[in-house]
Amino acid sequence: VQLQASGGGLVQTGGSLRLSCAVSGSISRFDGMAWFRQASGKPRELVASVGGGTNYADSVKGRFTISVENADNTLYLQMNDLKPEDTAVYYCRTERHLKGWQREYLWGQGTQVTVSS
């Protein structure tokens, strides 16, 4: 299984972007999916997750929406009202629950989002 993230780019403050994460296989096999981001010089942080409900980082609540389209095996992140502090490389990740507390994670390659002020 491979994850291919796309949709990043350069946008002005207040603009919108939609990120996509195409999964080469059935998306239904995963117990959860998420978007992370990593700004330059900072640790990677969770942006939004889906699976047993949706969760968002406080910094993106009300502006970002995570969704899954099972028909085309794609995870999306709709980002509205973008701010310069949203500038980062965005990564998608899948999660699969194995035996007991074991987890299997797969990462996409990342897509750059740059928000100009």
Side-chain angles (χ1 to χ4, degrees):
V1 177
Q2 292 184 327
L3 280 62
Q4 182 71 39
S6 62
L10 174 63
V11 65
Q12 291 185 331
T13 296
S16 298
L17 284 173
R18 188 175 78 153
L19 304 184
S20 300
C21 178
V23 179
S24 63
S26 175
I27 208 168
S28 62
R29 70 195 295 262
F30 300 112
D31 297 290
M33 300 189 74
W35 287 98
F36 286 74
R37 68 186 181 188
Q38 187 166 20
S40 181
K42 294 187 177 181
R44 192 170 296 188
E45 63 173 357
L46 177 65
V47 175
S49 64
V50 61
T54 56
N55 291 287
Y56 297 91
D58 288 342
S59 60
V60 307
K61 280 181 182 175
R63 300 188 298 123
F64 290 11
T65 303
I66 189 171
S67 62
V68 175
E69 181 56 60
N70 289 303
D72 59 12
N73 294 314
T74 303
L75 172 73
Y76 296 100
L77 184 69
Q78 178 65 44
M79 307 186 294
N80 298 327
D81 189 23
L82 282 161
K83 304 175 180 181
E85 51 264 42
D86 295 318
T87 295
V89 178
Y90 284 70
Y91 299 89
C92 54
R93 190 195 77 176
T94 62
E95 176 179 342
R96 199 159 65 97
H97 298 171
L98 306 177
K99 187 184 299 184
W101 288 104
Q102 288 183 318
R103 300 289 184 266
E104 177 187 77
Y105 299 109
L106 297 176
W107 291 89
Q109 86 287 6
T111 183
Q112 175 71 48
V113 171
T114 303
V115 184
S116 63
S117 57

